[in-house]
Amino acid sequence: MIAPQVIVVSLRGSGAPLLAEVTGALGYTPYGTMSGPDDDSPGPGPGEVYPLLAAAHGPDTAAALLRDGRHGRQALQTAFEDAVGALWRVWWIRLGQPVTRASPVDPALEEALARVPDGELVRLLPGRGCWYVNSLDLRRADGGLLRAWQATGHPPIVFHHRDVRDRIISQIQLLSHPSGRVGSQPEYLVYRDIVSALPSMDARITLALTDPGFPGLAEARGCRWLLHHPAVTVVSHEDLAGPAHGGSADARERALARLFEATGHPGSTAVPRPRAAGSACQDPDHLRVGLWREHFSPEHERLLDRHWGDLPARV
């Protein structure tokens, strides 16, 4: 059975756009740290509208909205979209992710959906969704969601990581760009100013290795359990990269097979080859395996061992 929802824990700088190409080809809409649905996203399928409306607005209101749908289509669409927005926020909170207190989401809808039992919550999201998060810390994620996952194995969890040195270089490259390329996450905006003020790549790597708040490093410590849990599918960027980005074709095929098995897709599922390095993103080097070799010095290696030697093994 194909999993309707998937959780991907992709450490910052691990090349999530490359993995998103695969999950997108499998029919999943990306939520969270990757781009959300757009106007071309498929609408809700049969039987997906009423359950969500009933959970968010109450069964009587849901029935009335559907009964009057032909004459009040805008009201029905607005009510459904409001419910989806509140449900995304509930999921985001249960995954232990930071939220903004000031939010356009109706607090009453959020409160109603927050009371939905964990086993039912996963079935309310319309279509197929793939949640991309940068971490899944057991101390922050919702206990009910974790218990439901431990008991059922659903939604499947994929842990996506990369050589920590390449992750650091990727993050520095991102933070060195103009603000429009960095995004809106507060820590990125703050560290963009810090990184941009440093005179050289050497100084920026040293900062990343010695500042415990540098994006993507401390949070990786809370994700080490994902490497060891038998129900988690582990995929490294090095395996998924393929020849287009300095990896091997055989490793990519094995990584795809693990993803197919985790999501319940048949092994014959067609997935596009990764695009050439210059076309996969605006930075030709962003996804290349072994970025660190051009920038890391022996002193950087010593700092890495001293401060972050417990992070996922280097490749």
Side-chain angles (χ1 to χ4, degrees):
M1 177 181 176
I2 296 177
Q5 306 293 328
V6 179
I7 297 171
V8 170
V9 183
S10 181
L11 297 179
R12 298 177 199 251
S14 291
L18 188 60
L19 179 56
E21 287 183 1
V22 177
T23 58
L26 295 179
Y28 291 102
T29 297
Y31 305 139
T33 56
M34 296 301 294
S35 299
D38 53 30
D39 293 338
D40 295 327
S41 298
E48 293 183 333
V49 175
Y50 176 77
L52 178 52
L53 288 176
H57 300 282
D60 292 341
T61 299
L65 285 166
L66 290 170
R67 184 173 58 248
D68 300 333
R70 291 184 61 185
H71 303 291
R73 186 173 299 276
Q74 185 59 52
L76 174 60
Q77 181 175 344
T78 298
F80 184 75
E81 290 176 352
D82 289 347
V84 170
L87 185 58
W88 286 348
R89 184 174 169 93
V90 169
W91 264 82
W92 198 239
I93 292 172
R94 290 197 177 193
L95 289 168
Q97 305 305 303
V99 296
T100 303
R101 289 187 181 274
S103 169
V105 172
D106 184 338
L109 294 182
E110 182 181 338
E111 182 179 353
L113 291 169
R115 294 196 299 267
V116 173
D118 300 284
E120 297 178 17
L121 189 72
V122 69
R123 293 192 290 269
L124 288 181
L125 278 168
R128 294 184 194 169
C130 184
W131 286 94
Y132 278 86
V133 295
N134 295 135
S135 66
L136 190 58
D137 192 322
L138 294 176
R139 297 166 297 180
R140 298 182 60 183
D142 182 79
L145 184 70
L146 291 172
R147 281 192 295 270
W149 171 77
Q150 190 276 331
T152 66
H154 298 289
I157 295 177
V158 175
F159 181 47
H160 179 231
H161 69 95
R162 186 181 189 180
D163 187 309
V164 63
R165 295 164 295 187
D166 273 351
R167 292 204 301 109
I168 288 171
I169 299 301
S170 178
Q171 289 294 94
I172 290 174
Q173 290 177 338
L174 173 66
L175 293 167
S176 300
H177 291 147
S179 58
R181 296 281 305 283
V182 172
S184 60
Q185 296 185 55
E187 61 269 39
Y188 276 177
L189 296 174
V190 170
Y191 273 91
R192 179 205 65 199
D193 294 343
I194 296 172
V195 167
S196 299
L198 295 174
S200 65
M201 176 63 82
D202 179 87
R204 293 170 180 178
I205 296 174
T206 299
L207 168 78
L209 293 170
T210 55
D211 183 345
F214 188 82
L217 292 182
E219 64 193 9
R221 284 190 166 132
C223 293
R224 287 175 295 182
W225 68 275
L226 292 156
L227 284 170
H228 310 295
H229 198 288
V232 174
T233 299
V234 179
V235 177
S236 75
H237 173 73
E238 288 75 17
D239 286 344
L240 198 60
H245 303 293
S248 77
D250 288 344
R252 177 174 167 81
E253 289 302 316
R254 290 192 295 270
L256 290 176
R258 293 197 298 276
L259 289 171
F260 294 160
E261 181 179 2
T263 58
H265 284 78
S268 59
T269 300
V271 171
R273 293 182 179 180
R275 290 170 287 178
S279 62
C281 60
Q282 290 176 288
D283 295 318
D285 283 341
H286 180 65
L287 300 175
R288 182 163 54 86
V289 172
L291 290 174
W292 66 272
R293 299 181 189 279
E294 300 173 12
H295 304 288
F296 262 64
S297 68
E299 177 58 22
H300 293 144
E301 291 280 3
R302 285 191 288 271
L303 289 172
L304 179 62
D305 288 336
R306 182 188 310 166
H307 296 287
W308 305 104
D310 59 331
L311 294 188
R314 285 167 276 181
V315 177

